[in-house]
Amino acid sequence: MASKFNPPQFLPPPTTLIADPELIVNGGSPLSGHVTISGSKNSALPILAATLCCAGSSNLKNVPCLSDTKTMVSILQSLGAQVMSFGGHIVVNTDGMLSVEPDLSEIGKLRVELRDGKGQARVSNGKGLTGVSFRLEYPSVGGIETPMMAACMAEGKTVISNAAQEPEIIDLAAFLTNCGAVVEGAGTDTLLISGRRKLYGSEYSIMPDRIEAGTYMLAAPITRSCISILHLSAVPRTIEDDLRGFSIKTNPFPGFPTDLQPLTMALLSTCKGISVVEESVFENRMSHVTELQKFGAKIQHRGSTAMVYGKGNASPFCGSQVIATDLCGGMSLVLVGLAAEGITEISEISHVDRGYESLEMKLQGLEGNVGKEGNGELVVGSVGKDAALGNGGNVTAAGKLGIAGNCGTVG
């Protein structure tokens, strides 16, 4: 019998590569104004995937418009889901979706178990997914999301120990509960999930992005500014120049979030004293150090630990040409560019666009002079600051030569 599994058809890669735009930042001036936090990308992605577990339509609100969410929508559509998007809302209808299971009459049902943090699969008796108890070797957010969805549709109860406790896991559990699942213990290190025969689509609003909120909270002290983050009251009225350094070590929630490590390192470069930054969640998450040094930051690192020698004044940085090698490290370069004197040119900015909705518009709303260059033209949103990039109009790429122009040696 022919297999029912139909792999999704993907379009071939384009024959002509599209140049990644650059972000141009004219820094050295304080920020001010209000900013609104978008929906959480790290919550929206697994919840979009979870709609595949549900019959009918799911109406998701507050979904950020990002390259990553667009990619997820494309995947859902490739599997046969009908997806409509409008104004931050995404409606996913799974009626008539393609089957993504192999022909079980040929190979039988597979039962997947996790032992000592490793997955083991064996042929079961054809009754479908069944509940199981297991302990995760590491409380990984990505490592628990798929087992959560599977457990919601399995027969019996599933117990997951050493579970991730991040707010995004609570958000996923809340969506699944809205759809008819029974998920207990979200936000603790133990999840108890009772499977259901069928889940149904529901209406749900994605939580605000805590990493984006933290980013703008860090933007204020890095630029020695005062900004207002809507629906968040923990923003000081004034920020002094004499900030003192501190040390951090990243850990799973409720520890210090790894996604804010590069941005915090940027802040520590402006503070007095020596700070230690230790990365314990991801390997090789120090690529931003080399780029921060181009601004004049004094940082030494070995492996996953960095020593930051702060300067203690508002703008120890000088504009530079830098490369965004990843999302969070790239955003740290944007914040430093806002604080640096002169013009900063950040290439491969598409990394940052994966996680920050309407970045240029939000920064321009905070009186930041930023714009993207593409196809030889630069469009800059000038808001009254020293518009060295062309008074908010279009300038050719040649107009921005001499990025670091005579900044001198930063000792």
Side-chain angles (χ1 to χ4, degrees):
M1 182 181 295
S3 172
K4 296 178 182 178
F5 177 67
N6 295 309
Q9 300 298 313
F10 297 98
L11 295 176
T15 55
T16 302
L17 296 177
I18 300 175
D20 196 343
E22 296 179 339
L23 187 72
I24 311 300
V25 183
N26 186 18
S29 300
L31 304 176
S32 65
H34 307 273
V35 65
T36 301
I37 302 303
S38 300
S40 169
K41 181 200 79 164
N42 291 337
S43 186
L45 292 178
I47 289 177
L48 280 167
T51 63
L52 298 180
C53 300
C54 306
S57 295
S58 298
N59 182 6
L60 304 181
K61 301 179 179 180
N62 201 33
V63 180
C65 182
L66 302 166
S67 58
D68 276 11
T69 53
K70 292 177 183 177
T71 298
M72 177 60 77
V73 165
S74 296
I75 293 173
L76 298 181
Q77 291 173 326
S78 74
L79 295 173
Q82 299 177 352
V83 184
M84 294 184 296
S85 177
F86 50 94
H89 291 210
I90 291 182
V91 178
V92 182
N93 187 293
T94 59
D95 293 339
M97 260 189 52
L98 297 172
S99 171
V100 293
E101 292 186 0
D103 187 344
L104 301 178
S105 63
E106 293 182 349
I107 64 172
K109 283 284 189 179
L110 291 178
R111 176 183 173 124
V112 180
E113 295 181 351
L114 290 179
R115 294 180 180 176
D116 299 327
K118 299 179 180 179
Q120 297 180 351
R122 61 182 177 84
V123 176
S124 188
N125 56 7
K127 292 184 178 179
L129 294 172
T130 56
V132 67
S133 297
F134 61 88
R135 176 183 175 82
L136 292 171
E137 183 176 357
Y138 186 84
S140 164
V141 174
I144 197 175
E145 290 164 343
T146 301
M148 282 178 65
M149 299 177 209
C152 287
M153 305 186 71
E155 180 182 348
K157 293 186 177 180
T158 296
V159 179
I160 305 176
S161 303
N162 197 30
Q165 304 175 48
E166 272 76 359
E168 293 80 8
I169 298 301
I170 299 175
D171 215 29
L172 174 60
F175 170 73
L176 291 169
T177 300
N178 273 12
C179 297
V182 179
V183 183
E184 302 176 72
T188 73
D189 64 355
T190 303
L191 288 177
L192 175 60
I193 303 174
S194 299
R196 289 292 181 264
R197 288 184 178 274
K198 198 169 187 178
L199 302 181
Y200 299 89
S202 68
E203 183 176 291
Y204 192 77
S205 182
I206 305 296
M207 63 174 278
D209 195 315
R210 63 191 177 101
I211 301 302
E212 186 188 26
T215 296
Y216 287 104
M217 291 180 70
L218 288 165
I222 288 176
T223 59
R224 301 305 194 266
S225 307
C226 291
I227 63 177
S228 172
I229 302 174
L230 297 185
H231 308 301
L232 186 67
S233 58
V235 178
R237 294 180 180 272
T238 60
I239 295 180
E240 303 295 335
D241 284 344
D242 189 17
L243 299 181
R244 295 184 296 276
F246 53 89
S247 296
I248 61 169
K249 179 180 179 179
T250 64
N251 274 302
F253 190 87
F256 192 90
T258 179
D259 287 346
L260 292 180
Q261 177 259 107
L263 296 90
T264 304
M265 186 182 295
L267 169 63
L268 294 173
S269 297
T270 74
C271 299
K272 284 188 175 180
I274 300 174
S275 305
V276 179
V277 176
E278 185 177 352
E279 175 59 54
S280 69
V281 176
F282 289 116
E283 296 180 357
N284 303 319
R285 201 166 205 180
M286 289 286 178
S287 60
H288 52 281
V289 170
T290 299
E291 304 306 308
L292 290 175
Q293 290 170 337
K294 294 178 182 178
F295 290 100
K298 299 176 67 175
I299 306 171
Q300 296 178 349
H301 85 97
R302 175 177 295 178
S304 297
T305 302
M307 299 286 291
V308 183
Y309 299 86
K311 296 202 170 186
N313 55 42
S315 183
F317 303 122
C318 178
S320 184
Q321 293 176 308
V322 291
I323 302 172
T325 58
D326 57 65
L327 195 166
C328 302
M331 191 62 206
S332 73
L333 306 181
V334 175
L335 297 189
V336 172
L338 290 168
E341 296 291 341
I343 298 175
T344 292
E345 180 180 329
I346 306 172
S347 60
E348 300 188 24
I349 197 64
S350 61
H351 287 298
V352 180
D353 290 336
R354 290 181 44 237
Y356 289 89
E357 183 180 42
S358 305
L359 177 61
E360 303 96 276
M361 184 182 300
K362 290 185 179 183
L363 291 177
Q364 289 165 10
L366 295 174
E367 299 193 28
N369 199 342
V370 300
K372 275 186 179 176
E373 180 205 33
N375 300 322
E377 295 293 319
L378 176 66
V379 180
V380 177
S382 175
V383 288
K385 297 294 180 183
D386 295 332
L389 300 181
N391 297 319
N394 295 338
V395 297
T396 63
K400 60 181 180 61
L401 295 177
I403 293 296
N406 299 322
C407 285
T409 300
V410 182

